[in-house]
Amino acid sequence: MTIHSLNTKRASRSAEARVEAQDWPALVSELNTQGCAVMPGLLSAEECAEIAALYPHEEHFRSHVIMARHGFGKGEYRYFRYPLPDLIDGLRTALYPRLAGVANDWNEKMGAALRYPADHAAFLKRCHEEGQIKPTPLLLQYGPGDFNCLHQDLYGALAFPLQVAILLSEPGEDFTGGEFVLTEQRPRMQSRAEVVPLRRGDAVIFAVHNRPVEGSRGYYRVNLRHGVSRLRSGQRHTVGIIFHDAK
């Protein structure tokens, strides 16, 4: 299999068209109220299988991480190298402008001065000026007993506040367990957990680090982490689309 087998011409719609077809007012509302939102059916079953099948082919990746060696959990993942597979690159480029508006709104509400440019190429240029030049989209693989500890994908001083994960395997058929979990810590309160149900091809948008929540005295900042619960059987693949590059 070659990286070009994921060319968007094999998809029924381009990355731009399928992103635009989503219900963005509803997605933005969910992001603002819950810190996450699901895009159903972003990828077809065939596309999911093609991306997952890349995992053993080292030529597509810049590094390989065994989670247990670093205390990250159990399971493993590989970071893609540039150039990214066409479909993943297309989705990264198409999703960014929609999410940049949310990110800028969040920063304004939290009193942060940083604003994000309207197109992804301009944002990557900023990353590279900060010395963050390594691609961060990744492919994750879990087997029975594997899990991913709660964490944040920051990778450097400059981090885009939203990211996307796409489930490539079908729950109940390919695996059991392995739910996507998001936790939110509000000041002087216990953490709130959110379990996000996904089917194969669904994508979840979620906050990387912080988001604003409206209180009686205006907006305040809450801290978020994400992870994956223990896989009980089978094999689970996920592709992660992170918009900032790494040191």
Side-chain angles (χ1 to χ4, degrees):
M1 176 172 294
T2 70
I3 205 164
H4 299 292
S5 68
L6 296 180
N7 195 289
T8 53
K9 69 182 181 181
R10 297 192 59 185
S12 60
R13 297 173 293 176
S14 68
E16 294 83 0
R18 69 180 81 193
V19 167
E20 289 303 309
Q22 295 290 321
D23 185 350
W24 282 100
L27 291 171
V28 171
S29 177
E30 279 288 294
L31 286 170
N32 286 330
T33 57
Q34 303 300 328
C36 63
V38 174
M39 294 184 287
L42 189 65
L43 297 181
S44 69
E46 180 186 24
E47 289 165 340
C48 290
E50 289 179 340
I51 296 172
L54 292 178
Y55 195 84
H57 300 275
E58 295 185 3
E59 65 270 22
H60 303 307
F61 304 97
R62 66 173 177 85
S63 67
H64 182 195
V65 178
I66 306 297
M67 294 187 202
R69 294 177 183 172
H70 306 277
F72 296 163
K74 288 183 65 181
E76 57 185 82
Y77 54 88
R78 296 179 186 265
Y79 288 105
F80 285 101
R81 66 170 70 248
Y82 281 133
L84 300 175
D86 290 337
L87 182 54
I88 295 171
D89 185 56
L91 288 171
R92 196 185 193 205
T93 300
L95 285 163
Y96 174 87
R98 286 288 190 173
L99 300 180
V102 177
N104 285 331
D105 177 59
W106 283 8
N107 274 10
E108 182 177 355
K109 289 174 178 175
M110 292 188 294
L114 180 63
R115 297 294 182 269
Y116 301 93
D119 71 276
H120 192 234
F123 177 64
L124 285 182
K125 183 174 184 293
R126 286 191 189 177
C127 289
H128 297 171
E129 289 169 351
E130 293 287 335
Q132 297 177 211
I133 60 173
K134 297 177 182 177
T136 48
L138 70 164
L139 186 55
L140 302 100
Q141 178 173 277
Y142 302 88
D146 290 350
F147 62 94
N148 197 344
C149 294
L150 295 170
H151 65 285
Q152 299 169 329
D153 296 313
L154 296 175
Y155 300 117
L158 186 58
F160 191 72
L162 292 150
Q163 69 190 71
V164 175
I166 310 172
L167 184 61
L168 305 178
S169 308
E170 182 62 34
E173 295 182 12
D174 299 322
F175 70 96
T176 61
E179 295 88 357
F180 179 85
V181 179
L182 191 72
T183 64
E184 182 176 271
Q185 177 62 61
R186 302 189 182 194
R188 299 176 298 280
M189 297 175 66
Q190 293 183 332
S191 294
R192 179 180 73 94
E194 179 87 4
V195 176
V196 182
L198 299 169
R199 310 301 300 182
R200 179 175 55 202
D202 291 351
V204 56
I205 313 166
F206 56 98
V208 173
H209 184 204
N210 303 123
R211 76 175 184 94
V213 171
E214 189 171 10
S216 59
R217 299 181 180 179
Y219 287 93
Y220 61 94
R221 186 186 305 251
V222 300
N223 191 48
L224 296 102
R225 297 180 184 275
H226 64 278
V228 173
S229 70
R230 178 169 57 93
L231 205 75
R232 299 183 181 277
S233 65
Q235 191 172 67
R236 180 188 192 273
H237 286 95
T238 308
V239 64
I241 299 178
I242 298 164
F243 297 94
H244 48 274
D245 279 353
K247 280 275 190 183

